[in-house]
Amino acid sequence: MRIILSQKTDPFQNLATEEYLLKNFSEDIFFLYINSKSIIVGKHQNALAEVNFKFVTENEIPVVRRLSGGGTVFHDPGNINFCFITSGVKGELVNFKKYTTPIVEFLKSIGVDAHFGGRNDILIEGCKISGNACHVFKNKVMHHGTLLFNSQLGSLTQSLKNDPLKFKDKAVKSVRSKVTNIHDHLGQPRDVDVFVRELSEYIILNYNCDAYTLTERDNEKINELVETKFNTWEWNFGYSPKFELKKRLKSESGKRFEIILHVNKGNITEVAIRTNAIDLDKVKQLKNSLANCIHEISHITTNTNEVFKNWQELRQQELIEALF
């Protein structure tokens, strides 16, 4: 097995690296990385329904879709991500306990009483410290998971706080769990760098690993994946399953609006607006400008600029906040 320690904290880079390693290496791999603040959504999730869009936008926290399914997770410098990529027999590749066992055994070796949980996670005293997911490619599996070491759990809560009544879809929903940091359960305090070193040394010693450094060509291919996939709106938001968005709002003018959008592959396919506004021509113009528009802030802003000229009953910013 090869072990690779990422030198980057960019979430787009690290998620692209996972896919590149999965699809281009024949050897088994153990990959460790730490991302800067970011929200990582599952492949089959509606990204907008999983995050507090206003909070993550204001705090410049990127939302990135990963290759595997499962729920949404918050990454920051206090969270460590591990990834096993191995070959095997089709039908026997997915095995959550197999790939969490090395992590549980490592934690026990440093005095942390961790155990495999009932939702493919790792727990300490009933609290979650690791969520896991996997993706099968041909005869290979990529199993990856988080390790909450000293994460900012307050930011995690704020980032993932959303309005459950706003979106109606069949996308995979995240299940929120009570969480804790590994750091709070250590008998002997250590910082994240020491913890990562100890974990990598444990894997090398017990799983016969050789260190591997990504080459210039590897990085070129990874950068291509970042540019064409992982850092694109089409993948991170447009890939979301079709959904219905319903939002009621009362504008500063006192007028009430109920806006219903049907969105498929990031495109608004149907629009309905119910309101007590007086200027129905403006309402019709708004409806027409939203139809067939991409459900993305800059596109909606551009498409509706004319609508909001000399219209006092609704402001453009009020519309944007309602739709995101």
Side-chain angles (χ1 to χ4, degrees), residues 243-304:
F243 63 89
E244 176 189 291
L245 181 155
K246 180 187 287 187
K247 182 66 177 181
R248 292 175 179 172
L249 70 125
K250 183 178 181 181
S251 68
E252 280 189 0
S253 69
K255 300 301 180 183
R256 297 183 183 275
F257 293 82
E258 182 183 64
I259 302 172
I260 302 172
L261 304 183
H262 289 265
V263 181
N264 188 18
K265 295 181 179 178
N267 295 302
I268 300 172
T269 56
E270 295 179 45
V271 182
I273 301 175
R274 302 186 182 102
T275 180
N276 62 352
I278 296 171
D279 194 339
L280 297 183
D281 286 338
K282 283 288 188 182
V283 175
K284 183 179 179 180
Q285 189 181 354
L286 175 60
K287 179 180 175 180
N288 291 338
S289 67
L290 289 174
N292 300 314
C293 180
I294 295 175
H295 188 243
E296 189 269 335
I297 289 178
S298 63
H299 282 264
I300 289 177
T301 300
T302 300
N303 270 33
T304 60

Side-chain angles (χ1 to χ4, degrees), residues 118-248:
R119 292 184 180 273
N120 301 327
D121 48 16
I122 300 174
L123 307 177
I124 298 175
E125 297 179 2
C127 296
K128 183 173 179 176
I129 55 107
S130 173
N132 291 259
C134 64
H135 175 77
V136 172
F137 174 73
K138 296 181 178 179
N139 68 327
K140 300 178 70 177
V141 65
M142 176 186 73
H143 176 109
H144 53 188
T146 57
L147 281 172
L148 294 173
F149 179 75
N150 196 16
S151 186
Q152 295 180 9
L153 300 182
S155 293
L156 183 156
T157 302
Q158 281 292 100
S159 298
L160 305 184
K161 187 184 294 182
N162 56 16
D163 180 357
L165 302 178
K166 189 172 179 178
F167 296 93
K168 182 179 179 181
D169 55 45
K170 294 182 179 179
V172 174
K173 304 295 189 297
S174 295
V175 178
R176 306 297 180 220
S177 304
K178 187 177 180 182
V179 295
T180 188
N181 276 314
I182 295 168
H183 184 271
D184 299 335
H185 301 271
L186 294 172
Q188 182 176 352
R190 47 180 53 79
D191 62 27
V192 67
D193 292 333
V194 172
F195 183 85
V196 169
R197 188 185 72 241
E198 290 175 335
L199 172 56
S200 60
E201 288 173 350
Y202 181 89
I203 297 295
I204 289 170
L205 181 64
N206 290 277
Y207 294 89
N208 192 26
C209 289
D210 295 317
Y212 178 79
T213 301
L214 294 171
T215 66
E216 186 175 337
R217 177 172 172 75
D218 291 333
N219 285 315
E220 286 175 0
K221 293 296 183 182
I222 291 166
N223 288 334
E224 284 179 19
L225 264 178
V226 171
E227 293 173 9
T228 59
K229 182 175 183 177
F230 284 94
N231 196 11
T232 66
W233 178 89
E234 288 78 11
W235 172 247
N236 294 320
F237 290 96
Y239 190 87
S240 295
K242 63 181 179 180
F243 63 89
E244 176 189 291
L245 181 155
K246 180 187 287 187
K247 182 66 177 181
R248 292 175 179 172

